[in-house]
Amino acid sequence: MAVTKEAIDPDEARKYVYRQVHSFERKGWLTARGIYRSKRYKKTDLFHQTKFVPRQFDLNSMSKIPSITADRKPEEDIAVLLKEKKHHEGKLAVALGEVEEYQSLINRFPNSRELLLPLFSDAKECSARLVGKINAMSKALKASGFTRGKC
């Protein structure tokens, strides 16, 4: 929290870290001992075999996405939502392609299953997040009275 310049709610930061640790445990990268607050985690051999690459976060691309503000017309807000929804739908198509390919690779190369499962899991989580975003935007468009096409 001290590294970022944004004000982050400590509860939200704690939840974020817990979700990450829990995700690593599901992927087999961590093992847990103990219960509740006395739980301790240990890195597994799979963790050490995995090559982690930091994500590249492009701040410039985020600044290009217009936010919905009170000084804009509702039609402009709808146009922004439609553009963002279309963008996420494209990303979802890519993520679903990844999921299918990981499934195929796991079936074709069963000896590499342990190596491919975390990647498969990440791709599924990414697609689930994208579906959630698309659903939320569709519902927001529907609530705003937008009726052109299917949302």
Side-chain angles (χ1 to χ4, degrees), residues 85-95 134:
K85 182 181 174 214
K86 189 168 287 241
H87 173 75
H88 290 307
E89 287 171 337
K91 287 172 68 174
L92 177 62
V94 171
I134 292 167

Side-chain angles (χ1 to χ4, degrees), residues 38-49:
S38 65
K39 208 177 233 192
R40 298 292 178 253
Y41 295 90
K42 183 178 177 184
K43 292 184 258 183
T44 64
D45 290 335
L46 186 58
F47 180 92
H48 293 291
Q49 293 171 0

Side-chain angles (χ1 to χ4, degrees), residues 4 6 13 20 30 41 44-45 67 72 74 81 88 91 94 108 123-124 131 134 139 141 145 147 151:
T4 65
E6 298 178 29
Q20 292 298 310
L30 297 175
Y41 295 90
T44 64
D45 290 335
S67 59
R72 268 210 315 256
L81 281 174
H88 290 307
K91 287 172 68 174
V94 171
R108 289 175 38 211
K124 284 194 331 186
V131 167
I134 292 167
K139 289 176 183 177
L141 286 166
T147 56
C151 291

Side-chain angles (χ1 to χ4, degrees), residues 4 6 8 25 34 41 49 61 74 83-84 95 101 115-116 122-123 126 129 136 145:
T4 65
E6 298 178 29
I8 299 174
E25 190 177 7
Y41 295 90
Q49 293 171 0
S61 68
K83 184 176 179 180
E84 288 181 15
E101 188 58 27
L115 186 66
L116 295 170
D122 283 347
C126 177
R129 280 191 304 272

Side-chain angles (χ1 to χ4, degrees), residues 1 27 83 98 127 136:
M1 288 171 44
K27 292 172 184 172
K83 184 176 179 180
E98 275 187 58
S127 64

